């Protein structure tokens, strides 16, 4: 009898956790992903603000799994599921497609940005969910400074707006402020730092809504000290190339707008629900069995694309779900029973500046340099690979001491505009 075939769709925290958790299982494991790398999304904004090289947070799957003999990687995009025939439909890089058969299927397709019914806003306010988007945003930010040097009205190009005051928005605002006022100091002598305007806004009443009140106030105060204008209870009504307007009629001028407001489940969640008869919630997340993350006896779903007791869409639930599903599959293959899934809440964290962060862990409320130390330890621990950990830690130390950034480069060359 051949080995049990496990297909894992998506190589994020949850999917990669399943694959690695089956290292010693009597199974053949196939990981399918649209990219050839794992992405450490919590540090994506540091790529966008030129602090980290892209490769330091995105190790290649084949490098990660090079010693796992029972795992293989397939580069392709999953387009559908046939759960009756136990097949996954995959489009390949050469334009062809194929069916990948499975005995057990695990779908960990993640999430995508939500513009709350205004998909056209993505043209003006790009999201930051993929490595490609982060590198593109880095070029856009740096190009704004380069353009301001020769512009008749530099203030117009030095105005930035970030929509969404959750952890991603706060971290991005803090890093952008540090990039503008410290990292680029002396390199753009033609720019007056007082002309730089960074606005962080959200429809909710507070920054960092999941955190306790003292930490929310600390974050807001520190952001304002960095020169960030914080606007809460400010819902965006419209966007254009020169800025945005809130529902209350306030106008924020900004040539560069970044979207960090909301997310929704990957479209694969709905496709999987249609194939299995499962339900989805209003955010498009598929509802799974809370005891083992299953959709059907041989199909599991984990991570941001699922609703499991309304756990937050952050890395830790996906990691724990991935580890649990791997243990469930191994137990089934060995004829054993597994205990039901139980989530261990390790708290939430967000960094504000190179020397300040907040951490809400159980009854601990950490902030300042202590919060930063806790934040750094957790993020280094969750990074995949010692080379990446050492490289990231080195870049952080270099930035903290010198203020300089590792990747202040624009990849796309400027082309002259043809005029009649």
């Amino acid at each position: 009898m051949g080995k049990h075939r496990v297909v894992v769709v998506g190589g994020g925290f949850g999917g990669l956790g399943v694959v690695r958790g089956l290292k010693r299982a009597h199974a053949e494991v196939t990981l399918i992903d649209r990219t050839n790398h794992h992405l450490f999304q919590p540090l994506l904004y540091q790529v966008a603000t030129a602090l980290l090289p892209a490769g330091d947070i995105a190790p290649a799957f084949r490098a990660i799994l090079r010693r796992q003999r029972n795992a293989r990687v397939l580069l392709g995009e999953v387009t559908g599921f046939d759960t009756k025939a136990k097949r996954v439909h995959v489009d390949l890089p050469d334009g062809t497609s194929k069916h990948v058969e499975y005995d057990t299927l695990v779908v960990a397709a993640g999430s995508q940005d939500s513009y709350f019914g205004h998909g056209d806003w993505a043209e003006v306010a790009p999201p930051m969910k993929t490595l490609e988007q982060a590198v593109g945003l880095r070029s856009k930010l740096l190009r704004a400074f380069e353009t301001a040097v020769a512009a008749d009205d530099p203030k117009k190009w030095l105005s930035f707006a970030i929509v969404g005051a959750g952890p991603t928005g706060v971290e991005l605002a803090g890093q952008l402020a540090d990039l503008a006022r410290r990292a680029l100091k002396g390199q753009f002598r033609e720019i007056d730092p007082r002309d730089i305007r960074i606005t962080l806004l959200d429809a909710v009443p507070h920054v960092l809504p999941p955190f306790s009140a003292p930490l929310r106030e600390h974050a807001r105060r520190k952001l304002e000290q960095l020169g960030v204008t914080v606007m809460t209870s400010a819902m965006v009504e419209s966007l254009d190339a020169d800025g945005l307007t809130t529902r209350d009629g306030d106008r924020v001028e900004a040539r560069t707008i970044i979207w960090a407001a909301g997310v929704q489940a990957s479209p694969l969640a709905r496709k999987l629900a249609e194939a299995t008869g499962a339900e989805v919630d209003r955010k498009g997340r598929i509802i799974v069995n809370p005891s083992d993350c299953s959709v059907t006896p041989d199909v599991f779903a984990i991570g941001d694309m699922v609703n499991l007791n309304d756990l937050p869409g952050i890395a830790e639930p996906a990691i724990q779900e991935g580890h649990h599903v791997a243990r469930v599959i191994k137990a089934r293959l060995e004829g054993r029973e597994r205990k039901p899934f139980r989530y261990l809440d390790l708290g939430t964290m967000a960094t504000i500046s190179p020397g300040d962060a907040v951490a809400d862990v159980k009854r601990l409320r950490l902030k300042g340099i202590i919060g930063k130390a806790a934040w750094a330890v957790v993020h280094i621990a969750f990074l995949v690979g010692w080379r990446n950990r050492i490289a990231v830690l080195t870049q952080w130390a270099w930035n903290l001491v010198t203020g300089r950034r590792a990747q202040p480069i624009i990849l796309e060359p400027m082309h002259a505009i043809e005029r009649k």
Side-chain angles (χ1 to χ4, degrees):
M1 184 176 178
K3 289 184 177 181
H4 190 84
R5 298 165 300 178
V6 180
V7 171
V8 180
V9 179
F13 290 109
L16 189 60
V18 174
V19 175
R20 299 172 84 184
L22 295 174
K23 183 176 182 179
R24 293 179 175 84
H26 186 68
E28 293 179 348
V29 187
T30 301
L31 173 62
I32 307 174
D33 200 289
R34 293 183 298 176
T35 68
N36 76 330
H37 58 266
H38 168 71
L39 179 60
F40 192 82
Q41 278 196 345
L43 294 180
L44 199 56
Y45 70 96
Q46 295 196 5
V47 173
T49 52
L51 179 57
L52 294 177
D56 285 355
I57 67 165
F61 289 128
R62 295 187 184 278
I64 298 170
L65 302 173
R66 64 189 183 280
R67 296 179 180 173
Q68 186 169 336
R69 297 294 184 183
N70 70 338
R72 73 184 188 102
V73 178
L74 179 63
L75 181 65
E77 182 170 7
V78 172
T79 58
F81 308 95
D82 184 345
T83 54
K84 292 182 179 179
K86 290 192 174 184
R87 298 189 303 188
V88 176
H89 307 306
V90 186
D91 285 349
L92 302 176
D94 62 359
T96 63
S97 61
K98 68 178 297 184
H99 301 300
V100 180
E101 298 181 342
Y102 66 84
D103 296 308
T104 297
L105 172 66
V106 184
V107 185
S111 61
Q112 62 184 19
D113 282 272
S114 172
Y115 286 84
F116 308 109
H118 298 277
D120 54 307
W121 288 358
E123 292 291 327
V124 178
M128 191 186 61
K129 292 290 288 183
T130 68
L131 199 61
E132 183 180 13
Q133 290 170 347
V135 172
L137 179 56
R138 181 186 69 193
S139 294
K140 185 173 183 177
L141 292 173
L142 294 172
R143 194 179 291 110
F145 289 101
E146 295 287 357
T147 306
V149 169
D152 295 331
D153 183 8
K155 291 183 180 180
K156 180 174 68 173
W157 292 96
L158 297 175
S159 55
F160 306 88
I162 301 168
V163 182
T168 299
V170 166
E171 292 175 332
L172 188 54
Q175 284 293 338
L176 181 56
D178 183 71
L179 169 69
R181 293 181 169 84
R182 196 165 70 105
L184 300 182
K185 184 179 181 181
Q187 298 181 32
F188 288 85
R189 291 182 292 274
E190 305 90 341
I191 293 177
D192 186 345
R194 293 173 296 182
D195 291 338
I196 300 171
R197 296 286 183 269
I198 302 171
T199 303
L200 174 68
L201 66 159
D202 203 314
V204 299
H206 309 283
V207 300
L208 299 177
F211 289 71
S212 61
L215 295 184
R216 292 198 303 257
E217 291 304 314
H218 174 82
R220 181 172 189 141
R221 184 171 63 254
K222 290 298 181 180
L223 285 171
E224 290 173 343
Q225 290 175 4
L226 289 171
V228 177
T229 300
V230 180
M231 297 175 60
T232 50
S233 299
M235 180 175 290
V236 176
E237 181 72 20
S238 63
L239 295 176
D240 57 65
D242 295 315
L244 58 87
T245 303
T246 69
R247 181 164 293 181
D248 293 334
D250 295 323
R251 178 68 180 174
V252 177
E253 300 295 334
R255 281 305 292 258
T256 303
I257 305 174
I258 307 166
W259 191 263
V263 295
Q264 59 186 352
S266 163
L268 284 183
R270 193 169 296 278
K271 289 185 177 182
L272 184 62
E274 292 172 353
T276 58
E279 297 181 5
V280 295
D281 65 10
R282 60 184 180 83
K283 294 182 180 179
R285 299 177 300 178
I286 189 169
I287 298 174
V288 299
N289 186 333
S291 67
D292 62 2
C293 305
S294 65
V295 183
T296 67
D298 51 17
V299 177
F300 298 84
I302 57 177
D304 294 354
M305 64 173 281
V306 310
N307 182 335
L308 195 162
N309 296 330
D310 276 325
L311 290 177
I314 55 178
E316 190 54 40
I319 293 171
Q320 293 185 33
E321 290 162 12
H323 292 166
H324 181 78
V325 168
R327 289 192 290 266
V328 169
I329 295 172
K330 287 177 65 177
R332 289 182 178 180
L333 293 177
E334 297 167 5
R336 297 183 289 106
E337 293 290 330
R338 278 296 311 171
K339 293 181 179 179
F341 175 75
R342 185 175 181 181
Y343 177 62
L344 177 61
D345 187 358
L346 300 180
T348 52
M349 300 180 174
T351 185
I352 305 167
S353 70
D356 198 338
V358 291
D360 211 333
V361 184
K362 302 285 185 182
R363 297 180 181 178
L364 292 177
R365 307 288 185 264
L366 307 178
K367 59 185 179 181
I369 193 66
I370 297 176
K372 186 70 177 188
W375 176 91
V377 168
V378 169
H379 282 67
I380 288 294
F382 284 167
L383 269 171
V384 176
W386 282 105
R387 192 210 71 81
N388 290 55
R389 292 172 183 150
I390 294 171
V392 168
L393 195 58
T394 301
Q395 294 295 346
W396 285 350
W398 177 252
N399 174 253
L400 185 63
V401 173
T402 67
R404 296 172 63 183
R405 307 231 157 189
Q407 296 282 300
I409 56 173
I410 301 171
L411 294 181
E412 306 87 359
M414 195 208 79
H415 297 286
I417 300 174
E418 294 185 5
R419 294 180 175 84
K420 293 183 181 180

